Amino acid sequence: MKVFDYAKMKVTHSMRFPAPLMSLAFSPDCLTRVIGTSNGTIYAGRRKNKEDFEGGSDEELERPLSKYERRQKKLKALSSGDAGGLGPVEEPQVRVLKPTNFRYFHRGQGEKPSEGEYLVMRPRKVKLGEHDKLLKKFRHKEALVSVLGSKNPENAVAVMEELVARKKLLKCVSNLDSEELGLLLMFLQKHSTVPSYSGLLMGLTKKVLEMRAEDIRASDDLKGHIRNLKRSVEEEIRIQQSLQEIQGIISPLLRITGRR
């Protein structure tokens, strides 16, 4: 039931009932209303007079309410179910869905399980990377090229190890064009001296130089990558020699300390 104010052209009050309304009547003084619903229930209510309010003098009742007081009074009436001063209205009963109801099997994901129900957790799908999708489709060369340009060397080394297991790594290297070969040489120059990757990448570097020697001699860009690779390897050799010298100095001291 909605109450309209035609002077302001807006809804002033709204009340809900558990069944469709069939009839509505007011008393001549508009203090009492009776509502009949389709299920045979009759709702009757009476508007409260000024004398019905507890507390407050006649001056307070006759005093015009401020905007804040009118708003608080309206919110209090709506929260108590006494919208418009016509008395409380019964709350509609929520129908509990049972397995015998067809709608029971079309509940949303936000529906909370009731007590006694067994909740089945669906495993989440693992989001695969681009190289994983290519490997699943046996597109080995494209999978290798996709990880060479990425910023994660772990993925690139993992793809290379997978291609070694499939015996396809050297075939992929032989099928690379000049631009793709340049990406591979750049990757080897950056990460071949890393201790965790050097076991695989140093052997791969030797194979690349043996298999693609002619292509490297024919391209100036590839020659530049080889010079950078040679420079990084020489720097790593110098570091290893320095570490061996330091180890040679420290080893006798550790032995003497161990005897004491």
Side-chain angles (χ1 to χ4, degrees):
M1 184 182 74
K2 294 184 178 180
V3 181
F4 290 88
D5 186 351
Y6 288 101
K8 299 180 180 179
M9 298 302 296
K10 66 177 183 179
V11 178
T12 58
H13 302 291
S14 178
M15 290 181 287
R16 288 187 176 184
F17 292 86
L21 306 185
M22 303 299 294
S23 59
L24 172 66
F26 283 89
S27 62
D29 56 359
C30 293
L31 294 179
T32 306
R33 60 106 173 92
V34 180
I35 299 174
T37 59
S38 61
N39 59 4
T41 305
I42 296 178
Y43 298 90
R46 181 176 177 80
R47 183 187 298 273
K48 296 180 180 179
N49 295 325
K50 292 182 179 181
E51 294 80 4
D52 298 334
F53 291 97
E54 296 181 359
S57 61
D58 294 339
E59 295 180 357
E60 292 177 348
L61 295 175
E62 293 176 358
R63 178 179 60 84
L65 300 177
S66 63
K67 185 177 180 181
Y68 175 77
E69 292 174 340
R70 290 197 302 270
R71 182 180 181 187
Q72 291 296 113
K73 184 178 179 181
K74 183 177 178 182
L75 292 175
K76 184 178 180 181
L78 292 176
S79 62
S80 62
D82 190 15
L86 298 178
V89 178
E90 296 180 2
E91 291 292 334
Q93 297 180 356
V94 180
R95 185 178 180 183
V96 180
L97 294 178
K98 297 181 179 180
T100 55
N101 195 321
F102 180 74
R103 291 176 56 193
Y104 177 85
F105 299 97
H106 288 269
R107 295 172 295 172
Q109 294 182 355
E111 187 74 15
K112 295 182 178 180
S114 60
E115 186 177 357
E117 290 184 341
Y118 181 76
L119 184 62
V120 178
M121 300 299 295
R122 179 180 296 178
R124 295 184 178 181
K125 291 184 178 180
V126 179
K127 189 175 181 181
L128 299 177
E130 184 65 24
H131 56 279
D132 290 324
K133 295 178 182 179
L134 294 172
L135 287 175
K136 290 183 68 175
K137 297 178 182 179
F138 299 98
R139 298 162 65 177
H140 302 125
K141 174 189 169 183
E142 297 177 12
L144 178 61
V145 174
S146 66
V147 293
L148 290 178
S150 64
K151 297 181 180 180
N152 192 349
E154 294 181 0
N155 291 340
V157 174
V159 171
M160 292 178 183
E161 290 176 348
E162 178 63 23
L163 294 177
V164 170
R166 299 186 184 187
K167 300 180 180 180
K168 297 293 183 180
L169 180 58
L170 297 181
K171 184 176 180 180
C172 292
V173 172
S174 61
N175 293 331
L176 295 176
D177 57 21
S178 298
E179 184 177 355
E180 295 168 348
L181 182 58
L183 289 176
L184 178 59
L185 292 175
M186 287 178 61
F187 179 83
L188 294 175
Q189 180 257 326
K190 291 180 180 179
H191 305 288
S192 60
T193 56
V194 178
S196 57
Y197 308 143
S198 59
L200 173 66
L201 298 184
M202 293 302 288
L204 178 61
T205 303
K206 295 179 181 179
K207 290 293 183 181
V208 171
L209 296 177
E210 293 175 0
M211 296 173 59
R212 306 300 298 269
E214 296 181 1
D215 297 326
I216 294 173
R217 295 192 190 98
S219 174
D220 295 335
D221 294 337
L222 297 180
K223 289 181 181 178
H225 293 313
I226 294 299
R227 284 193 293 268
N228 295 334
L229 177 61
K230 183 180 178 181
R231 193 178 299 113
S232 63
V233 172
E234 291 176 349
E235 181 66 22
E236 181 65 21
I237 291 174
R238 284 195 295 270
I239 293 174
Q240 294 295 333
Q241 290 176 350
S242 300
L243 292 176
Q244 288 179 355
E245 292 176 359
I246 295 172
Q247 184 179 7
I249 297 172
I250 295 176
S251 295
L253 299 177
L254 293 176
R255 291 178 183 177
I256 295 172
T257 306
R259 291 175 183 176
R260 292 181 182 178

